[in-house]
Amino acid sequence: MDESGGSGRPQSDGADGPRPAEPHGPHHTPGSQEPTRPIGTAEGPERPADGPTRPADEPRRPAEPPRDEHTTSLTKTPGTDTPSAETPRTETRRAETPSAETPRTETPPTETPHAETPREERPAEPPRPRAAYSGRPGKGTPVPPKAQKGPGGGLLMGKPFGVPVYVAPSWFLVAALITWVFGNQLDRVLPELGGARYLVSLFFAVAFYASVLVHELAHTVAALRFKLPVRRIQLQFFGGVSEIEKESETPGREFVLAFVGPLLSLVLAGVFYAGMQAVDAGTVPGVLLAGLMISNLIVAAFNLLPGLPLDGGRMLRAVVWKITGKPMSGTVAAAWVGRALAISVLIGLPLLNQSGALGGEAQDIGGMDTVTDALLAAILAAIIWTGAGNSLRMARLREHLPELRARTLTRRAVPVESETPLSEALRRANEAGARALVVVDTDGDPMALVREAAIVSVPQHRRPWVGVGGLAQDLTEGMRISVELAGEELLDTLRATPATEYLVVEESGEIYGVLSAADVERAFVKAMARPT
């Protein structure tokens, strides 16, 4: 049952003053462990009204509240936290409106609160929402409210199917490594090439990663076919990444989405094998085609291993999901298989190389080759183990994402005009049990939101002389959000327009309240920490 009355909307004051308080309790937000403090109530012990205040050049910033509960107060400030009982008449103020950047203070001729000249204060820059997460690269990672970096991450190579493809800086390192290793192998097979073997090796490195790109494009095309947005494709040190932003809706689609990548690698291996039949095996084309065939077979076989974050793990997840009807059960099973796979790679890969089971000659344990094998196995095992853990965390988050609802996270707000003194605006908010201020015009239409960080930066003794308009941020189209938003849709909307506060409106356009990005972030972190 909604706390705010029959309509479910936090009540707002009219332009003419506060409305009578409703007979319900204080407004809560999800994750709150205590009632909302009245505006002007300090978190710690109160100091006397005439007690010392912080110097004007050291504005106190609001302390970050505990992650697991909501304790933010709109007016947590230094010194006494009780608004002045007497509000100055608006006609004693000068006509100009304080600047939005540097709130100006006006002292009436009959009263000087402090002898020193008030310092112009620039409100602290609001914090941006918290960071994004990434699970198995390219397999439907949800994004928390923090604005991400641009879709960069390397050198832009093109936009097939409208999806940007980037080459990460680490690719150049692995390309050089492949060129060196394959070049040494060519020296044994085609010694007549001389120094030109490294040019052939470089061509092989580029062709191999073109095959990896085809593998990732298969995932991308399948995702677009299922109406799943793809943010980008990135080629990096250990292969490619397709960043698909949403989860598959059914286990069947999840299976297809995972299987098409290894399938295309197998098809490419077949194409290169067919090409080998048309050329002499002892020539440069023959050696290149053989190398590309073997490489694509390895890529397909490795990705078909049944453990997250590999494609085979996604397929296993889809199968368990289909059997149990629970996607979380599929994720848990595939993630633990992935962790077991990581341990197997860490121990088994060096032993297989030393025994010659992977096609090389049997070697004694010891020497540089053993160190190299162990290092490669450790890197692969770490990638698999970390990816499996990320998949578990993302699955847990997805189970709790529906709990993030704009309707329950929104703060009650009161409308005030731009010239209203801050102390009077806070008094009205306290009477209404509100924790946010919306600046409206003479017709009652919202124009701006008063920033919480800006309010906190204004000392108590200056609030009667500072208009709320100087502390407000103008509303943009992206800062108006629907009260019906929830889950990933809510996070996507906030990520598209980073801000500290958002105006929440009903479908009719009526003001519902103000949503703080900090509140969403706390609810997000709490959802992540909650056991499944």
Side-chain angles (χ1 to χ4, degrees):
M1 179 176 178
D2 194 277
E3 299 179 8
S4 57
S7 67
R9 183 179 68 85
Q11 302 299 313
S12 300
D13 288 341
D16 299 331
R19 294 175 182 166
E22 327 249 337
H24 52 67
H27 181 68
H28 292 261
T29 57
S32 179
Q33 306 260 337
E34 57 178 298
T36 302
R37 290 187 177 88
I39 290 185
T41 301
E43 289 189 352
E46 291 190 5
R47 290 185 290 184
D50 57 350
T53 60
R54 295 175 64 87
D57 59 346
E58 292 186 28
R60 176 180 170 185
R61 296 185 179 223
E64 184 175 350
R67 295 279 182 192
D68 56 350
E69 62 182 36
H70 177 64
T71 58
T72 302
S73 174
L74 183 61
T75 57
K76 182 172 62 178
T77 58
T80 123
D81 289 334
T82 304
S84 174
E86 181 177 73
T87 303
R89 294 167 55 101
T90 55
E91 54 264 39
T92 63
R93 296 171 53 83
R94 295 185 182 178
E96 64 262 34
T97 302
S99 167
E101 297 245 337
T102 54
R104 300 178 55 188
T105 59
E106 305 283 342
T107 303
T110 58
E111 183 178 359
T112 304
H114 283 270
E116 74 267 6
T117 303
R119 184 181 66 88
E120 291 187 350
E121 297 182 0
R122 182 182 298 274
E125 183 176 350
R128 300 184 66 176
R130 188 62 54 96
Y133 290 71
S134 66
R136 156 68 166 91
K139 295 296 186 285
T141 303
V143 183
K146 181 175 181 178
Q148 294 183 333
K149 295 179 181 178
L155 180 64
L156 178 63
M157 301 302 294
K159 292 186 177 181
F161 306 102
V163 177
V165 176
Y166 292 88
V167 174
S170 60
W171 178 86
F172 295 96
L173 177 61
V174 73
L177 180 62
I178 292 175
T179 300
W180 175 261
V181 172
F182 194 70
N184 291 336
Q185 294 178 348
L186 281 178
D187 191 34
R188 293 194 295 268
V189 178
L190 299 172
E192 65 274 11
L193 288 177
R197 66 182 183 274
Y198 292 111
L199 291 178
V200 177
S201 299
L202 179 60
F203 178 83
F204 170 79
V206 174
F208 169 67
Y209 267 84
S211 301
V212 173
L213 176 59
V214 171
H215 176 109
E216 296 304 327
L217 284 174
H219 291 306
T220 297
V221 172
L224 296 176
R225 179 68 177 82
F226 295 144
K227 309 298 183 184
L228 301 176
V230 182
R231 183 168 174 259
R232 67 177 178 180
I233 296 174
Q234 187 183 55
L235 301 179
Q236 48 189 230
F237 191 91
F238 272 102
V241 170
S242 300
E243 296 188 7
I244 303 172
E245 296 184 346
K246 292 186 180 296
E247 191 79 7
S248 299
E249 297 178 356
T250 65
R253 291 186 174 185
E254 173 80 351
F255 188 93
V256 171
L257 185 60
F259 180 62
V260 291
L263 177 62
L264 258 292
S265 293
L266 289 173
V267 170
L268 285 176
V271 170
F272 292 131
Y273 177 77
M276 289 173 55
Q277 309 309 309
V279 299
D280 186 356
T283 63
V284 170
V287 172
L288 286 176
L289 289 171
L292 291 172
M293 180 199 70
I294 295 174
S295 298
N296 278 276
L297 284 175
I298 293 175
V299 169
F302 183 74
N303 276 277
L304 285 173
L305 293 175
L308 287 173
L310 303 174
D311 293 327
R314 296 285 165 180
M315 295 161 64
L316 175 61
R317 174 182 183 268
V319 171
V320 177
W321 178 4
K322 180 66 175 179
I323 295 173
T324 63
K326 298 178 180 180
M328 186 62 187
S329 298
T331 301
V332 171
W336 279 106
V337 173
R339 287 176 169 176
L341 180 63
I343 296 175
S344 301
V345 168
L346 179 63
I347 300 174
L349 185 60
L351 295 178
L352 290 175
N353 279 340
Q354 293 296 323
S355 66
L358 298 181
E361 296 180 358
Q363 301 174 3
D364 295 332
I365 296 178
M368 185 57 65
D369 289 339
T370 301
V371 174
T372 303
D373 293 341
L375 179 60
L376 177 62
I379 294 174
L380 286 175
I383 292 174
I384 296 173
W385 183 279
T386 302
N390 286 341
S391 297
L392 278 175
R393 187 172 69 250
M394 291 304 103
R396 181 172 67 244
L397 171 62
R398 287 186 182 281
E399 282 205 333
H400 296 303
L401 271 183
E403 300 172 14
L404 300 180
R405 300 172 56 234
R407 185 176 293 278
T408 56
L409 290 171
T410 297
R411 300 179 177 185
R412 188 184 303 275
V414 293
V416 293
E417 294 186 352
S418 178
E419 296 80 10
T420 305
L422 178 58
S423 60
E424 168 63 12
L426 296 180
R427 183 190 65 78
R428 296 183 189 179
N430 281 334
E431 286 189 359
R435 299 182 55 245
L437 302 173
V438 179
V439 178
V440 298
D441 58 18
T442 55
D443 296 327
D445 296 326
M447 301 187 305
L449 300 178
V450 181
R451 297 172 298 171
E452 182 178 357
I455 293 175
V456 171
S457 69
V458 179
Q460 183 72 26
H461 66 275
R462 294 181 56 187
R463 292 179 178 178
W465 324 119
V466 177
V468 295
L471 308 175
Q473 179 179 4
D474 292 339
L475 282 172
T476 62
E477 186 61 31
M479 292 173 63
R480 298 172 185 259
I481 65 174
S482 169
V483 70
E484 302 300 333
L485 291 179
E488 288 191 55
E489 186 180 7
L490 172 62
L491 298 184
D492 290 343
T493 301
L494 302 191
R495 189 177 78 251
T497 307
T500 53
E501 287 91 12
Y502 299 84
L503 180 68
V504 182
V505 296
E506 298 275 12
E507 292 183 0
S508 62
E510 186 179 4
I511 297 176
Y512 181 85
V514 172
L515 178 65
S516 169
D519 291 343
V520 179
E521 181 182 346
R522 277 186 289 269
F524 184 90
V525 173
K526 187 175 181 180
M528 286 288 293
R530 188 175 303 135
T532 301

